[in-house]
């Protein structure tokens, strides 16, 4: 098993109110597979990613990634883990608008000790011909492909995607899903996708459902369909 969480708990305090964003969540994820994380707004999906991705720390419970207990890491070690082991993809791309496509990917590569070749990664995501454009000259689908290139160039074993198709039309969303499937197959990275789109679960090897910070479902899918066959 690649990722294991045990009784993972995160509590946000705002004034006198307390929100149990995650409440004793115990899950396991295998290496090299694709997972969907489903659940209504506020159910704890992003909180789970923030903890697994080393952006935030739990208030209770433990997380192991690749045999290492990251929940016991020092802040410095956690930063190194996040930079080297985790690629993030967000709904609104998070590109640097003053840098070209190539420079955006290079900036991500610069954070890694042994990055992949930038042109090879741009080729993989189908953006090599647009390498000198700026983010504001790209469509949403193209921008998301650059964001995926930024994640992939670090050669991370784990890629966390938070609503990667949430801002895209059907055709571009499908292309992004096909790309994530390709990245999973060609790099062997474990890919986790937060989504409100139930149909995406059909291309995943496993599906987690959260509600009010708790796991309400975990199912494995022995025969995921190809991303190009996902329809909604
Ligand atoms: N920094 C924070 N401070 C206070 N409360 C927070 C914070 N981050 C999240 N929460 C609360 O924790 C709960 C879980 O939030 P989270 O963002 O993980 O849910 P989500 O399932 O990702 O939601 P969405 O689908 O809307 O993105 C919510 O009630 C949210 O309001």
């Amino acid at each position: 098993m690649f990722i294991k969480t045990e009784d993972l708990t995160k509590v946000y305090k705002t004034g006198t109110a307390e929100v149990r964003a995650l409440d004793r969540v115990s899950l396991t994820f295998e290496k090299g597979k694709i997972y969907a994380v489903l659940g209504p707004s506020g159910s704890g999906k992003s909180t789970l990613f923030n903890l697994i991705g080393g952006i935030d720390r739990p208030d209770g419970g433990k997380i192991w990634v690749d045999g290492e207990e990251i929940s016991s890491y020092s802040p410095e070690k956690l930063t190194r883990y996040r930079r080297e082991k985790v690629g993030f993809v967000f709904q609104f791309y998070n590109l640097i608008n003053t840098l070209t496509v190539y420079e955006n990917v290079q900036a991500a590569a610069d954070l890694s000790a042994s990055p992949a070749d930038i042109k090879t990664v741009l080729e993989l995501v189908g953006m090599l011909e647009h390498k000198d454009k700026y983010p504001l000259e790209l469509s949403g689908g193209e921008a998301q492909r650059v964001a995926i290139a930024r994640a992939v160039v670090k050669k991370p074993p784990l890629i966390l995607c938070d609503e990667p198709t949430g801002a895209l039309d059907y055709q571009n969303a499908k292309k992004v899903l096909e790309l994530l499937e390709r990245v999973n197959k060609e790099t062997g990275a474990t890919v986790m996708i937060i989504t409100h789109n139930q149909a995406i679960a059909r291309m995943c090897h496993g599906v987690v459902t959260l509600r009010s910070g708790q796991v309400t479902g975990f199912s494995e899918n022995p025969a995921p369909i190809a991303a190009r066959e996902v329809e909604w």
Side-chain angles (χ1 to χ4, degrees):
M1 147 243 321
F2 180 53
I3 300 171
K4 178 175 155 83
T5 73
E6 189 179 272
D7 291 332
L8 200 58
T9 299
K10 181 74 190 176
V11 181
Y12 291 110
K13 296 187 185 75
T14 44
T16 54
E18 226 183 47
V19 177
R20 211 157 260 275
L22 286 183
D23 188 9
R24 290 164 294 144
V25 166
S26 299
L27 290 165
T28 58
F29 302 96
E30 287 174 41
K31 205 174 181 70
K33 295 201 167 176
I34 307 185
Y35 293 92
V37 180
L38 304 174
S41 189
S43 58
K45 304 182 298 293
S46 299
T47 303
L48 179 66
F49 270 28
N50 289 345
L51 297 183
I52 291 176
I55 288 178
D56 207 350
R57 310 180 78 92
D59 295 309
K62 293 179 176 177
I63 312 169
W64 291 266
V65 179
D66 225 357
E68 295 253 335
E69 195 206 319
I70 66 159
S71 43
S72 69
Y73 276 1
S74 65
E76 294 74 25
K77 224 173 158 191
L78 197 62
T79 300
R80 212 174 318 134
Y81 158 79
R82 192 172 60 233
R83 281 191 182 168
E84 289 176 8
K85 299 280 172 101
V86 192
F88 294 94
V89 177
F90 299 100
Q91 180 173 3
F92 294 110
Y93 331 124
N94 290 22
L95 302 180
I96 303 161
N97 285 337
T98 52
L99 300 181
T100 63
V101 164
Y102 186 93
E103 289 164 347
N104 261 278
V105 180
Q106 187 169 44
D110 287 346
L111 292 175
S112 169
S114 62
D117 176 63
I118 295 167
K119 283 193 175 156
T120 305
V121 173
L122 284 172
E123 182 113 59
L124 171 78
V125 303
M127 288 298 292
L128 189 55
E129 62 183 303
H130 300 296
K131 70 179 175 50
D132 296 321
K133 285 192 179 167
Y134 286 87
L136 296 177
E137 298 172 314
L138 305 176
S139 71
E142 289 168 345
Q144 194 58 300
R145 276 154 43 202
V146 178
I148 293 170
R150 278 170 57 86
V152 167
V153 77
K154 301 195 296 180
K155 293 195 283 187
L158 174 62
I159 299 181
L160 299 176
C161 312
D162 195 342
E163 291 280 1
T165 59
L168 302 178
D169 61 49
Y170 182 75
Q171 296 302 340
N172 277 306
K174 292 258 303 197
K175 277 194 202 154
V176 161
L177 293 175
E178 286 175 39
L179 177 57
L180 290 174
E181 177 187 60
R182 189 167 170 206
V183 163
N184 166 258
K185 285 208 173 109
E186 291 188 14
T187 73
T190 303
V191 175
M192 297 174 66
I193 305 172
I194 289 180
T195 180
H196 282 103
N197 183 348
Q198 296 256 359
I200 292 176
R202 300 186 63 214
M203 61 171 274
C204 298
H205 302 99
V207 183
V208 178
T209 313
L210 296 177
R211 191 173 60 217
S212 305
Q214 297 184 329
V215 178
T216 54
F218 182 85
S219 60
E220 289 188 35
N221 184 3
I225 63 170
R228 68 172 183 283
E229 286 166 15
V230 173
E231 284 178 354
W232 61 90

